Amino acid sequence: MSELPRPALAVIGGTGFYDFFDAETREIDIDTPYGKPSAPIAVGDVAGRPVAFVPRHGKKHEYAPHTLPYLANMWALRSLGVRRVFAPCAVGSLRTDWGPGTVAVPDQIVDRTSGRAQTYFDGGGVHVSFADPYCPELRVAAIGAEVEELPLRAGGAMVVVQGPRFSTRAESRWFAEQGWDLVNMTGHPEAVLARELEMCYSAIALVTDLDAGLESGDGVHAVDVFAEFKRNIEPFKEVVRKAIAAVESTETCAHCSPHEGVVLPFDLP
């Protein structure tokens, strides 16, 4: 295939989302100061645009949520020219009215992880604004990308837990009582790393289950989560493709450019 231009858009695929392109792609094996990303970066065409893709957990789900090379993944994408990232992911629902098969585009994130490297700035006075963690322009594109098979909900807070275990019933009920809507294991630190690297970023979440505190029985099982994601993967990919097609600019927006007037300890890639 002829070599595609450098990609300004990227997709980071979550659980069950290990490939994205229908046509031929080129793969870029890249190294970073933080090691190698989860897999070589694939570059293909979506809606007439070059798009980069990396499976968050690796091509064969080699990485657990707490062992993912988050810093390497985001650095690799930025170094290839990426400035805008859609991040599809699997989530549990903390609301009975957002059942399996619902697509949500959250507007808030709550970090309940521990021990994860979550910044590129270990020294100096660099503090990024993160009150609104997702790119407003990418969220608009994602919210407008509904497909017939999957109902779409705009907004909601996604709490990110350490994993790899699922929540207890008590934890799940507590999360819901806080007014949080979704539970996930990988949304942090990915979102804040994108902000530090001045890349627009938006999660697109596919509900695979009602969390443990919202239903009776044995709670959440991994096999059921994977099965539900697999059942909806093709229309979910179409949501992401439609969101990409709706993106107007491929430059970082002002909201996601927090370093103006700040002296960084290193140059961004």
Coordinates of all heavy atoms in Angstrom, one line a residue, residues 109-193:
I109 N -14.7 12.0 35.3 CA -14.0 10.8 35.7 C -13.6 10.9 37.2 O -13.4 12.0 37.7 CB -12.7 10.6 34.8 CG1 -12.1 9.3 35.0 CG2 -11.7 11.7 35.1 CD1 -11.0 9.0 33.9
V110 N -13.6 9.8 37.9 CA -13.3 9.8 39.3 C -12.2 8.7 39.4 O -12.4 7.5 39.0 CB -14.5 9.4 40.2 CG1 -14.0 9.3 41.6 CG2 -15.6 10.4 40.0
D111 N -11.0 9.1 40.0 CA -9.9 8.1 40.1 C -10.0 7.4 41.4 O -9.8 8.0 42.5 CB -8.6 8.9 40.0 CG -7.4 8.0 40.2 OD1 -7.5 6.8 39.9 OD2 -6.3 8.6 40.6
R112 N -10.1 6.1 41.4 CA -10.0 5.2 42.6 C -8.9 4.2 42.4 O -8.9 3.1 43.0 CB -11.4 4.5 42.8 CG -12.5 5.5 43.2 CD -12.3 6.0 44.6 NE -12.3 5.0 45.6 CZ -11.9 5.1 46.9 NH1 -11.5 6.3 47.3 NH2 -11.9 4.1 47.7
T113 N -7.9 4.5 41.5 CA -6.8 3.6 41.3 C -5.7 3.9 42.3 O -5.8 4.9 43.1 CB -6.2 3.7 39.9 OG1 -5.6 5.0 39.7 CG2 -7.3 3.5 38.9
S114 N -4.7 3.0 42.4 CA -3.6 3.3 43.3 C -2.3 2.7 42.6 O -2.4 1.7 41.9 CB -3.8 2.6 44.6 OG -4.0 1.2 44.5
G115 N -1.2 3.3 42.9 CA 0.1 2.8 42.5 C 0.4 2.9 41.0 O 1.4 2.4 40.6
R116 N -0.4 3.6 40.2 CA -0.1 3.7 38.8 C 0.7 4.9 38.5 O 0.4 6.0 39.0 CB -1.4 3.7 38.0 CG -2.3 2.5 38.1 CD -3.5 2.6 37.2 NE -4.4 1.4 37.4 CZ -5.5 1.2 36.7 NH1 -5.9 2.0 35.8 NH2 -6.3 0.1 37.0
A117 N 1.7 4.8 37.6 CA 2.3 6.0 37.1 C 1.3 6.9 36.4 O 0.7 6.4 35.4 CB 3.5 5.6 36.3
Q118 N 1.2 8.1 36.8 CA 0.1 8.9 36.2 C 0.5 10.3 35.7 O -0.4 11.1 35.5 CB -1.1 9.0 37.2 CG -0.7 9.6 38.6 CD -1.8 9.7 39.5 OE1 -2.9 10.3 39.2 NE2 -1.7 9.0 40.7
T119 N 1.8 10.5 35.6 CA 2.2 11.8 35.1 C 3.5 11.7 34.4 O 4.3 10.8 34.7 CB 2.3 12.8 36.2 OG1 2.7 14.1 35.7 CG2 3.3 12.4 37.3
Y120 N 3.8 12.6 33.4 CA 5.1 12.7 32.8 C 6.0 13.7 33.6 O 7.1 13.8 33.3 CB 5.0 13.2 31.4 CG 4.3 12.2 30.5 CD1 3.0 12.4 30.1 CD2 5.0 11.0 30.0 CE1 2.3 11.4 29.2 CE2 4.3 10.1 29.2 CZ 3.0 10.3 28.8 OH 2.4 9.4 28.0
F121 N 5.3 14.5 34.5 CA 6.0 15.6 35.2 C 6.3 15.2 36.6 O 5.5 15.6 37.5 CB 5.2 16.8 35.1 CG 4.8 17.2 33.6 CD1 3.5 17.2 33.2 CD2 5.9 17.5 32.8 CE1 3.3 17.6 31.9 CE2 5.6 17.9 31.5 CZ 4.3 17.9 31.0
D122 N 7.4 14.5 36.9 CA 7.7 14.1 38.2 C 8.5 15.2 39.0 O 8.8 15.1 40.2 CB 8.6 12.8 38.2 CG 7.7 11.6 37.8 OD1 6.6 11.6 38.2 OD2 8.3 10.7 37.2
G123 N 8.9 16.3 38.3 CA 9.6 17.4 38.9 C 9.1 18.7 38.3 O 8.5 18.7 37.2
G124 N 9.3 19.8 39.0 CA 8.9 21.1 38.5 C 7.5 21.4 38.9 O 6.7 20.5 39.3
G125 N 7.1 22.6 38.6 CA 5.7 23.1 39.0 C 4.8 23.0 37.8 O 4.2 24.0 37.4
V126 N 4.5 21.8 37.2 CA 3.6 21.7 36.1 C 2.4 21.0 36.6 O 2.4 19.9 37.1 CB 4.3 20.8 35.0 CG1 3.3 20.7 33.8 CG2 5.6 21.4 34.6
H127 N 1.3 21.7 36.5 CA 0.0 21.2 37.1 C -1.1 21.5 36.0 O -1.5 22.6 35.7 CB -0.4 21.9 38.4 CG 0.7 21.9 39.4 ND1 0.9 20.9 40.2 CD2 1.6 22.9 39.7 CE1 1.9 21.2 41.0 NE2 2.3 22.4 40.7
V128 N -1.6 20.4 35.4 CA -2.6 20.6 34.3 C -4.0 20.8 34.8 O -4.4 20.2 35.8 CB -2.5 19.5 33.3 CG1 -1.2 19.4 32.6 CG2 -2.9 18.2 33.9
S129 N -4.7 21.6 34.2 CA -6.2 21.8 34.5 C -6.9 20.5 34.0 O -6.7 20.0 32.9 CB -6.7 23.0 33.7 OG -8.1 23.1 33.9
F130 N -7.7 20.0 34.9 CA -8.4 18.7 34.7 C -9.8 18.7 35.2 O -10.4 17.7 35.3 CB -7.6 17.6 35.3 CG -7.8 16.2 34.6 CD1 -7.6 16.1 33.3 CD2 -8.1 15.1 35.3 CE1 -7.7 14.9 32.6 CE2 -8.3 13.9 34.7 CZ -8.1 13.7 33.4
A131 N -10.4 19.9 35.4 CA -11.7 20.0 36.0 C -12.7 19.3 35.0 O -13.7 18.7 35.4 CB -12.1 21.5 36.2
D132 N -12.5 19.5 33.7 CA -13.3 18.9 32.7 C -12.4 18.0 31.9 O -11.7 18.5 31.0 CB -14.0 19.9 31.8 CG -15.0 20.8 32.6 OD1 -16.0 20.2 33.2 OD2 -14.7 22.0 32.8
P133 N -12.4 16.7 32.2 CA -11.3 15.9 31.7 C -11.3 15.5 30.3 O -10.3 15.0 29.7 CB -11.4 14.6 32.6 CG -12.8 14.6 33.1 CD -13.2 16.0 33.2
Y134 N -12.5 15.6 29.6 CA -12.6 15.2 28.3 C -12.8 16.4 27.3 O -13.3 17.4 27.7 CB -13.8 14.2 28.1 CG -13.7 13.0 29.0 CD1 -14.6 12.8 30.0 CD2 -12.7 12.1 28.7 CE1 -14.5 11.6 30.8 CE2 -12.6 10.9 29.5 CZ -13.5 10.7 30.5 OH -13.4 9.6 31.3
C135 N -12.3 16.2 26.1 CA -12.3 17.2 25.1 C -13.8 17.5 24.7 O -14.5 16.6 24.3 CB -11.6 16.8 23.8 SG -11.7 17.9 22.4
P136 N -14.3 18.8 24.8 CA -15.6 19.1 24.5 C -15.9 18.9 23.0 O -17.1 18.5 22.6 CB -15.8 20.5 24.9 CG -14.4 21.1 24.9 CD -13.5 19.9 25.3
E137 N -15.0 19.1 22.1 CA -15.2 19.0 20.7 C -15.3 17.5 20.3 O -16.2 17.1 19.5 CB -14.1 19.6 19.9 CG -14.1 21.1 20.1 CD -13.0 21.8 19.2 OE1 -12.4 21.1 18.4 OE2 -12.8 23.0 19.4
L138 N -14.5 16.6 20.9 CA -14.6 15.2 20.6 C -15.8 14.6 21.2 O -16.4 13.7 20.6 CB -13.3 14.5 21.1 CG -12.0 14.7 20.4 CD1 -11.0 13.7 20.8 CD2 -12.1 14.7 18.9
R139 N -16.3 15.1 22.3 CA -17.5 14.6 22.9 C -18.7 14.9 22.0 O -19.6 14.1 21.8 CB -17.7 15.2 24.3 CG -16.8 14.7 25.4 CD -17.2 15.0 26.8 NE -18.5 14.3 27.1 CZ -19.6 14.9 27.2 NH1 -19.8 16.2 27.0 NH2 -20.7 14.2 27.5
V140 N -18.7 16.1 21.4 CA -19.8 16.4 20.5 C -19.8 15.5 19.3 O -20.9 15.0 18.9 CB -19.7 17.9 20.0 CG1 -20.6 18.2 18.8 CG2 -20.0 18.9 21.2
A141 N -18.7 15.2 18.8 CA -18.6 14.2 17.7 C -19.1 12.9 18.1 O -19.8 12.2 17.3 CB -17.2 14.2 17.1
A142 N -18.7 12.4 19.3 CA -19.1 11.1 19.7 C -20.6 11.0 20.0 O -21.3 10.0 19.7 CB -18.3 10.7 20.9
I143 N -21.1 12.1 20.6 CA -22.5 12.1 21.0 C -23.4 12.0 19.7 O -24.5 11.5 19.7 CB -22.9 13.3 21.8 CG1 -22.2 13.2 23.2 CG2 -24.4 13.6 21.9 CD1 -22.2 14.5 24.0
G144 N -22.9 12.6 18.6 CA -23.7 12.6 17.4 C -23.5 11.3 16.6 O -24.0 11.2 15.5
A145 N -22.8 10.3 17.1 CA -22.4 9.1 16.3 C -23.3 7.9 16.7 O -22.9 6.8 16.5 CB -21.0 8.8 16.6
E146 N -24.5 8.1 17.1 CA -25.4 7.0 17.5 C -25.7 6.1 16.3 O -25.9 6.6 15.2 CB -26.7 7.5 18.2 CG -27.6 6.4 18.7 CD -28.7 7.0 19.5 OE1 -28.9 8.2 19.5 OE2 -29.5 6.2 20.1
V147 N -25.8 4.8 16.6 CA -26.2 3.9 15.6 C -27.5 3.2 16.1 O -27.8 3.2 17.3 CB -25.2 2.8 15.3 CG1 -23.9 3.4 14.7 CG2 -24.9 2.0 16.5
E148 N -28.3 2.6 15.2 CA -29.6 2.1 15.5 C -29.5 1.0 16.6 O -30.4 0.9 17.4 CB -30.3 1.6 14.2 CG -31.7 1.1 14.5 CD -32.3 0.6 13.2 OE1 -31.7 0.8 12.1 OE2 -33.5 0.1 13.3
E149 N -28.5 0.2 16.5 CA -28.4 -1.0 17.4 C -28.1 -0.6 18.9 O -28.4 -1.4 19.8 CB -27.4 -2.0 16.9 CG -27.7 -2.5 15.5 CD -26.9 -1.7 14.4 OE1 -26.8 -0.5 14.6 OE2 -26.6 -2.3 13.4
L150 N -27.5 0.5 19.1 CA -26.9 0.8 20.4 C -27.4 2.2 20.9 O -27.0 3.2 20.3 CB -25.4 0.8 20.4 CG -24.7 -0.5 19.9 CD1 -23.2 -0.3 19.9 CD2 -25.1 -1.7 20.8
P151 N -28.3 2.2 21.9 CA -28.7 3.5 22.4 C -27.6 4.3 23.0 O -26.7 3.7 23.6 CB -29.8 3.2 23.5 CG -29.4 1.8 23.9 CD -28.9 1.1 22.6
L152 N -27.5 5.6 22.8 CA -26.4 6.4 23.2 C -26.9 7.4 24.3 O -27.9 8.1 24.1 CB -25.8 7.1 22.0 CG -24.4 7.8 22.3 CD1 -23.5 7.7 21.0 CD2 -24.6 9.3 22.7
R153 N -26.1 7.6 25.3 CA -26.4 8.5 26.4 C -25.2 9.5 26.5 O -24.0 9.1 26.6 CB -26.5 7.8 27.7 CG -27.7 6.7 27.7 CD -29.0 7.4 27.6 NE -30.1 6.4 27.6 CZ -30.7 6.0 26.5 NH1 -30.3 6.5 25.3 NH2 -31.7 5.1 26.6
A154 N -25.5 10.8 26.6 CA -24.5 11.8 26.8 C -24.3 12.2 28.2 O -25.3 12.4 29.0 CB -24.9 13.1 26.0
G155 N -23.1 12.3 28.7 CA -22.8 12.7 30.1 C -22.6 11.5 31.0 O -22.6 10.3 30.6
G156 N -22.4 11.8 32.2 CA -22.2 10.8 33.2 C -20.7 10.8 33.8 O -19.8 11.2 33.1
A157 N -20.6 10.3 35.0 CA -19.3 10.2 35.7 C -18.9 8.8 35.7 O -19.6 7.9 36.1 CB -19.4 10.8 37.1
M158 N -17.6 8.6 35.2 CA -17.1 7.2 35.2 C -16.0 7.1 36.3 O -15.0 7.8 36.3 CB -16.4 7.0 33.8 CG -15.9 5.6 33.6 SD -15.4 5.2 31.9 CE -13.9 6.2 31.8
V159 N -16.3 6.2 37.2 CA -15.3 5.9 38.3 C -14.3 4.8 37.8 O -14.8 3.8 37.3 CB -16.0 5.5 39.6 CG1 -16.9 4.4 39.5 CG2 -14.9 5.3 40.7
V160 N -13.1 5.0 38.0 CA -12.0 4.1 37.5 C -11.4 3.4 38.7 O -10.9 4.0 39.6 CB -10.9 4.8 36.7 CG1 -9.9 3.7 36.2 CG2 -11.5 5.6 35.6
V161 N -11.6 2.1 38.8 CA -11.1 1.3 39.9 C -9.8 0.6 39.5 O -9.5 0.5 38.3 CB -12.2 0.2 40.4 CG1 -13.4 1.0 40.8 CG2 -12.5 -0.7 39.2
Q162 N -9.1 0.1 40.5 CA -7.8 -0.5 40.3 C -7.8 -1.8 39.5 O -7.0 -2.0 38.6 CB -7.1 -0.7 41.6 CG -5.7 -1.3 41.5 CD -4.6 -0.5 40.9 OE1 -4.9 0.7 40.4 NE2 -3.4 -1.0 40.8
G163 N -8.8 -2.6 39.8 CA -8.8 -3.9 39.1 C -7.6 -4.8 39.6 O -6.8 -4.4 40.4
P164 N -7.4 -5.9 39.0 CA -8.2 -6.5 37.9 C -9.5 -7.1 38.5 O -10.4 -7.6 37.7 CB -7.3 -7.6 37.3 CG -6.4 -8.0 38.4 CD -6.2 -6.8 39.2
R165 N -9.7 -7.1 39.8 CA -11.0 -7.7 40.3 C -12.2 -6.7 40.0 O -12.0 -5.5 39.8 CB -10.9 -8.0 41.8 CG -10.8 -6.7 42.6 CD -11.0 -7.0 44.1 NE -10.9 -5.8 45.0 CZ -11.9 -5.0 45.2 NH1 -13.1 -5.2 44.7 NH2 -11.7 -4.0 46.1
F166 N -13.4 -7.3 40.0 CA -14.6 -6.5 39.9 C -14.9 -6.0 41.3 O -14.4 -6.4 42.4 CB -15.7 -7.3 39.3 CG -15.5 -7.6 37.9 CD1 -15.4 -8.9 37.5 CD2 -15.4 -6.6 36.9 CE1 -15.2 -9.3 36.1 CE2 -15.2 -7.0 35.6 CZ -15.1 -8.3 35.2
S167 N -15.9 -5.0 41.4 CA -16.3 -4.4 42.7 C -17.1 -5.4 43.5 O -17.8 -6.3 43.0 CB -17.1 -3.2 42.4 OG -16.5 -2.3 41.6
T168 N -17.0 -5.2 44.8 CA -17.9 -5.8 45.8 C -19.3 -5.2 45.6 O -19.4 -4.0 45.1 CB -17.4 -5.7 47.2 OG1 -17.5 -4.4 47.6 CG2 -16.0 -6.3 47.4
R169 N -20.3 -5.8 46.2 CA -21.6 -5.2 46.2 C -21.6 -3.9 46.9 O -22.3 -2.9 46.5 CB -22.7 -6.1 46.7 CG -22.9 -7.4 45.9 CD -24.1 -8.2 46.4 NE -24.1 -9.5 45.9 CZ -24.4 -9.9 44.6 NH1 -24.8 -8.9 43.8 NH2 -24.4 -11.1 44.2
A170 N -21.0 -3.9 48.1 CA -20.9 -2.7 48.9 C -20.2 -1.5 48.1 O -20.7 -0.4 48.2 CB -20.2 -2.9 50.2
E171 N -19.1 -1.8 47.5 CA -18.4 -0.8 46.7 C -19.3 -0.3 45.6 O -19.4 1.0 45.4 CB -17.1 -1.4 46.1 CG -16.0 -1.6 47.1 CD -14.9 -2.5 46.6 OE1 -15.1 -3.2 45.6 OE2 -13.8 -2.4 47.1
S172 N -20.0 -1.2 44.9 CA -20.8 -0.8 43.8 C -22.0 0.1 44.3 O -22.3 1.1 43.6 CB -21.4 -2.0 43.1 OG -22.2 -1.7 42.1
R173 N -22.6 -0.3 45.4 CA -23.7 0.6 45.9 C -23.2 1.9 46.3 O -23.8 3.0 46.1 CB -24.4 -0.1 47.1 CG -25.2 -1.3 46.7 CD -26.1 -1.8 47.9 NE -25.3 -2.3 49.0 CZ -25.0 -3.6 49.1 NH1 -25.4 -4.5 48.2 NH2 -24.3 -4.0 50.1
W174 N -22.0 2.0 46.9 CA -21.3 3.2 47.4 C -21.1 4.1 46.2 O -21.4 5.3 46.2 CB -20.1 3.0 48.1 CG -19.3 4.2 48.5 CD1 -19.8 5.2 49.3 CD2 -18.0 4.6 48.2 NE1 -18.9 6.2 49.4 CE2 -17.7 5.8 48.8 CE3 -17.0 3.9 47.5 CZ2 -16.5 6.5 48.7 CZ3 -15.7 4.6 47.3 CH2 -15.5 5.8 47.9
F175 N -20.5 3.5 45.1 CA -20.3 4.3 43.9 C -21.6 5.0 43.4 O -21.6 6.1 43.0 CB -19.7 3.5 42.8 CG -18.3 2.9 43.1 CD1 -17.9 1.7 42.4 CD2 -17.5 3.4 44.0 CE1 -16.7 1.2 42.7 CE2 -16.2 2.9 44.3 CZ -15.8 1.7 43.6
A176 N -22.6 4.2 43.3 CA -23.9 4.7 42.8 C -24.5 5.7 43.7 O -25.1 6.7 43.2 CB -24.9 3.5 42.7
E177 N -24.3 5.6 45.0 CA -24.8 6.6 46.0 C -24.1 7.9 45.8 O -24.6 9.0 46.2 CB -24.6 6.1 47.4 CG -25.6 5.0 47.8 CD -25.3 4.2 49.0 OE1 -24.2 4.6 49.6 OE2 -26.0 3.3 49.4
Q178 N -22.9 7.9 45.3 CA -22.1 9.1 45.0 C -22.6 9.9 43.8 O -22.2 11.0 43.5 CB -20.6 8.9 44.9 CG -20.0 8.1 46.0 CD -20.3 8.7 47.3 OE1 -20.0 9.9 47.6 NE2 -20.9 7.9 48.2
G179 N -23.5 9.2 43.1 CA -24.0 9.8 41.8 C -23.2 9.5 40.6 O -23.4 10.1 39.5
W180 N -22.3 8.5 40.7 CA -21.5 8.1 39.6 C -22.3 7.1 38.8 O -23.2 6.4 39.3 CB -20.2 7.5 40.1 CG -19.4 8.4 41.0 CD1 -19.5 9.8 41.0 CD2 -18.5 8.1 42.0 NE1 -18.7 10.3 42.0 CE2 -18.0 9.3 42.6 CE3 -18.0 6.9 42.5 CZ2 -17.1 9.3 43.7 CZ3 -17.1 6.9 43.5 CH2 -16.6 8.1 44.1
D181 N -22.0 7.1 37.5 CA -22.9 6.4 36.5 C -22.2 5.1 35.9 O -22.9 4.2 35.6 CB -23.2 7.3 35.4 CG -23.9 8.6 35.9 OD1 -25.1 8.5 36.2 OD2 -23.2 9.6 35.9
L182 N -20.9 5.1 35.8 CA -20.2 4.0 35.1 C -19.0 3.6 35.9 O -18.4 4.4 36.7 CB -19.7 4.4 33.7 CG -20.8 5.0 32.8 CD1 -20.1 5.7 31.6 CD2 -21.7 3.9 32.3
V183 N -18.6 2.4 35.8 CA -17.3 1.9 36.5 C -16.4 1.2 35.4 O -16.9 0.4 34.6 CB -17.7 1.0 37.7 CG1 -18.4 -0.3 37.2 CG2 -16.4 0.6 38.4
N184 N -15.1 1.5 35.5 CA -14.2 1.1 34.5 C -12.8 0.9 35.2 O -12.7 1.3 36.3 CB -14.1 2.2 33.4 CG -13.0 2.1 32.5 OD1 -11.9 2.8 32.7 ND2 -13.1 1.3 31.5
M185 N -11.9 0.3 34.5 CA -10.6 0.0 35.1 C -9.4 0.7 34.4 O -8.3 0.6 34.8 CB -10.3 -1.5 35.1 CG -11.2 -2.3 36.0 SD -10.8 -4.1 36.0 CE -12.2 -4.8 36.9
T186 N -9.6 1.3 33.2 CA -8.5 1.8 32.4 C -8.6 3.3 32.1 O -7.6 3.9 31.5 CB -8.4 1.0 31.1 OG1 -9.6 1.2 30.4 CG2 -8.1 -0.4 31.4
G187 N -9.6 4.0 32.4 CA -9.8 5.4 32.0 C -8.8 6.3 32.7 O -8.6 7.4 32.2
H188 N -8.2 5.9 33.8 CA -7.2 6.7 34.5 C -6.0 5.8 34.6 O -6.1 4.7 35.0 CB -7.7 7.2 35.8 CG -6.6 8.0 36.5 ND1 -6.6 9.4 36.4 CD2 -5.6 7.7 37.4 CE1 -5.6 9.9 37.1 NE2 -5.0 8.9 37.7
P189 N -4.8 6.3 34.2 CA -4.4 7.7 34.0 C -4.4 8.1 32.5 O -3.9 9.1 32.1 CB -2.9 7.7 34.5 CG -2.4 6.3 34.1 CD -3.6 5.4 34.4
E190 N -5.0 7.3 31.6 CA -5.0 7.5 30.2 C -5.4 9.0 29.9 O -4.8 9.7 29.1 CB -5.8 6.5 29.5 CG -5.5 6.4 28.0 CD -6.3 5.2 27.4 OE1 -7.4 5.3 27.0 OE2 -5.7 4.1 27.4
A191 N -6.6 9.4 30.5 CA -7.1 10.7 30.1 C -6.2 11.8 30.6 O -6.0 12.8 29.8 CB -8.5 10.9 30.8
V192 N -5.6 11.7 31.7 CA -4.8 12.8 32.2 C -3.4 12.9 31.5 O -2.9 13.9 31.2 CB -4.5 12.8 33.7 CG1 -3.7 11.6 34.1 CG2 -4.0 14.1 34.2
L193 N -2.9 11.7 31.1 CA -1.7 11.7 30.3 C -1.9 12.4 28.9 O -1.1 13.1 28.4 CB -1.2 10.3 30.1 CG -0.8 9.5 31.3 CD1 -0.4 8.1 31.0 CD2 0.4 10.2 32.0

